[in-house]
Every structure is written in structure tokens, then in C-alpha cells.
Amino acid sequence: MKTIISACGKAILFGEHSVVYGHPAIAVPISSARTCAYVQEAGTLTISSVNIGGKYEVLKEPLKKGNPAYALQETVFNTLEYFGLPKEQNLEISVNSALPFAGGLGSSASMAIAVIRALAAHFNRKISDLELYNLAYKSEIINHSMPSGIDIATIIYEKPIYFKTNEPNIIKPLTCNKKIPLIVADTGMRSITADVVKSVKKEREKDPAKYDNIFSKITEIVEHAQQMIEKDRIHELGPLMNQNHELLQQADISSPELDKLVAVAKGAGALGAKLVGGGRGGCMIALAESNPLEIKKALINAGAINAFFTEIF
Ligand code: PMV
């Protein structure tokens, strides 16, 4: 028997990085780009991933920290343990994701959630959203060191959310009667989110006033954007995306490649554009209300290795 389960990707519309420090952010699911997890009988416990590369018999030779598939292995071990099952399973767990690895679209969270859900389905276990969140959060700690939790919350609920870390987290589903048309484009530069998050932490320690000022301004943008979304005033998100991108540039979270694609998208008619996720590489998003195909073409011509259109809500 083969169990197959998928999980979506996500894009942070407003508030990446500041969300790590308790500020609010808005994120949306990307349902058209998903991670599939497969569980099937095998000779020994094996994990494999097309994206990360390799096929590992993890009981014979457990993966060490630093291996790109380490978090996947730990997700499998933690999930089996949570279900009260031994590690000694004759199963192959494989993942295949349409999301770029280290691209700012939540690929690691999507992988963890798909794998946990697939194992739960394979063993016929019910798992609540909170249990899933807590298990996936453990994987995110391995990947991201100090994750806010916004990636997993967005992917689990597969809904646009307003998110703020707290005890418990504030997760507010957003409603809108209009669709948000986005172009997502990939610079092709891979950027490990944990590295950027750690570097921002270091810079913030050196100059807390600068970062607190930037993060407070991003918070104002998030609060304003939330109101615009709920009033169906989608076109007003464009200038807010531009402002958010400028603030991320000031915090040294952008890159020349991201800045170039952001400028090209605006030049091609996008109402606004910004980097998305961890930054310093990976993807950007553009609000494409009128001419999405032209914006997509312009981004590809400007060097994006991939670009796709997606509608939110
Ligand atoms: O790069 P991604 O898709 O994992 O997004 C990271 C978002 C951050 O705000 C930078 C980190 C976090 O945990 O919220």
C-alpha cells in the first residue's frame, strides 16, 4: 500500500523577519505549488527526496546534522516516537516538492507537514492541527534555529492568515471577496533562511534602535495591509509591498538579484513587488492585477529561473 499526501507552499505578503521578533505578519498559502510525501513498504526505514538529493537507509547509517536531509530524518523519527512506534520500520518515506529548496516559499515546513500527515495516514492515526503544529515546529527548529511558526501555521490551515507569536500564537484567518493575483519569481540564488535569520539577529544586537525602527514601520504596514485585504482594496497592497521591500533592503535582507526582479516587475506594470521569505536570494512576489503574463515574461527575460502566476482567496 502506498500513502500519498501533499502540503502547500506559502508566501509572506508582509512582515518576514520582523515576525521572528514578535511583530505581526500576513502570509498566504500557495496551493498550486505543493510537496508530496509518499509512504510505502520497503526492506528497511529509508528516506529519500528528489529535491534534497539522495536515498538514505537511516537505521543503518543515521544522518548527521549538516546533511540537507537531516531534518527530514528527524521529522520521521519524532513522528514515529509521537505515535508510540519504534524506529525499526520497513518503510520508504519519500518527498517530492514543486517548491524551490531555500527559496523563501516554505519548502522545509511544507516537507515536514506532508511527511507527518503521510505517516499519520499510513498508521491510521488522527492528528489535530495543534499536534501537527508542534511536531512540525520541532523540524523547523532544526531548519531555521528560531522559527516564528508562520510557515507551518499558513501551510497547516492553507488559508491567508494574520500571525503573531504569543502564548498561544495569534492566528487570525483573513477574508477577502477579491482575489490577490501574484506572480512569484525565483532569482535562482539559494539562500538558507537560518543563515539570514542568524545574521539579522547579529546585526540587530549591534544596532537595536535601527532594527526596532524598521520592524515597527513594517508592523504599521502589516496592520494597514490587513485592513485593506478585509475591505477588498487589493490594489492598495501594491505600494505597501514596495514600502515593505524598501525596509527589508534597509535591514540588509535583500540582494542585487532580488532588487533587480522587483524593479523589473514594477517596470512591467506590477502594482507593487517585494522579496518573499528569508531573503538574500530565493523568490520575490509581484502584485499583478492587470497584465500578469507580461510581468512574468519580463521577469524571465531579466534572469528569473522560474516564474508563475497564482491567485490567493
Ligand atoms: O524562507 P522561508 O520560506 O522559510 O521564510 C522565512 C520567514 C522568516 O520570517 C524570515 C523566518 C520565520 O521563521 O518567520
Side-chain angles (χ1 to χ4, degrees):
M1 192 187 72
K2 191 170 186 174
T3 310
I4 308 174
I5 299 275
S6 75
C8 63
K10 67 93 227 243
I12 297 181
L13 286 190
F14 301 98
E16 49 273 272
H17 284 283
S18 46
V19 70
V20 172
Y21 298 92
H23 293 268
I26 293 173
V28 297
I30 299 187
S31 297
S32 54
R34 309 185 73 84
T35 304
C36 283
Y38 309 82
V39 180
Q40 62 187 327
E41 306 303 326
T44 180
L45 186 62
T46 308
I47 63 167
S48 65
S49 161
V50 178
N51 312 80
I52 295 170
K55 187 166 178 171
Y56 306 95
E57 295 192 356
V58 292
L59 292 179
K60 284 191 194 151
E61 207 174 325
L63 301 175
K64 300 205 171 68
K65 265 190 192 157
N67 186 307
Y70 176 74
L72 199 54
Q73 165 189 276
E74 295 306 293
T75 304
V76 171
F77 287 167
N78 288 338
T79 307
L80 291 173
E81 189 185 354
Y82 189 76
F83 291 151
L85 296 165
K87 276 184 190 174
E88 291 71 27
Q89 299 287 336
N90 292 330
L91 290 178
E92 176 171 351
I93 296 132
S94 51
V95 288
N96 190 354
S97 186
L99 297 160
F101 174 66
L105 300 181
S107 63
S108 58
S110 181
M111 266 189 203
I113 290 163
V115 163
I116 298 165
R117 279 185 174 151
L119 283 169
H122 182 84
F123 289 108
N124 234 336
R125 303 294 174 109
K126 284 228 162 357
I127 181 161
S128 70
D129 288 343
L130 183 61
E131 288 173 303
L132 180 56
Y133 182 95
N134 289 335
L135 270 171
Y137 192 79
K138 280 192 186 177
S139 311
E140 284 289 88
I141 290 174
I142 299 168
N143 281 313
H144 284 193
S145 74
M146 43 190 280
S148 64
I150 190 169
D151 288 15
I152 43 181
T154 313
I155 293 169
I156 288 172
Y157 296 111
E158 204 164 337
K159 284 197 166 69
I161 57 167
Y162 169 99
F163 178 94
K164 198 170 180 225
T165 53
N166 211 318
E167 292 287 335
N169 290 332
I170 297 165
I171 304 173
K172 190 178 154 224
L174 296 173
T175 51
C176 185
N177 294 308
K178 279 201 180 154
K179 295 213 181 292
I180 303 181
L182 291 181
I183 296 282
V184 182
D186 190 346
T187 61
M189 313 297 289
R190 302 283 59 99
S191 173
I192 304 293
T193 301
D195 294 345
V196 188
V197 169
K198 276 184 211 152
S199 147
V200 170
K201 182 170 181 270
K202 235 177 175 177
E203 291 306 310
R204 184 173 174 265
E205 277 160 12
K206 281 191 224 156
D207 193 348
K210 174 184 167 187
Y211 280 82
D212 289 349
N213 183 33
I214 291 172
F215 291 165
S216 305
K217 285 184 182 155
I218 293 177
T219 295
E220 283 171 27
I221 292 172
V222 170
E223 300 298 354
H224 190 179
Q226 183 202 350
Q227 289 174 22
M228 293 305 102
I229 290 171
E230 301 213 295
K231 288 180 180 161
D232 305 334
R233 286 158 62 176
I234 296 310
H235 57 282
E236 295 192 43
L237 298 180
L240 296 175
M241 287 167 77
N242 295 337
Q243 287 165 28
N244 195 160
H245 185 74
E246 277 162 31
L247 289 162
L248 291 167
Q249 282 177 316
Q250 287 170 29
D252 194 21
I253 291 166
S254 192
S255 71
E257 294 81 7
L258 283 165
D259 292 345
K260 181 178 173 191
L261 294 188
V262 164
V264 165
K266 289 196 278 183
L271 296 180
K274 64 180 274 293
L275 70 85
V276 69
R280 292 203 187 145
C283 295
M284 52 76 68
I285 50 172
L287 184 61
E289 266 212 321
S290 48
N291 46 357
L293 289 180
E294 264 163 50
I295 297 168
K296 182 179 154 181
K297 209 166 120 194
L299 288 165
I300 295 286
N301 287 340
I305 59 157
N306 186 25
F308 63 91
F309 177 71
T310 186
E311 277 185 321
I312 314 300
F313 290 102

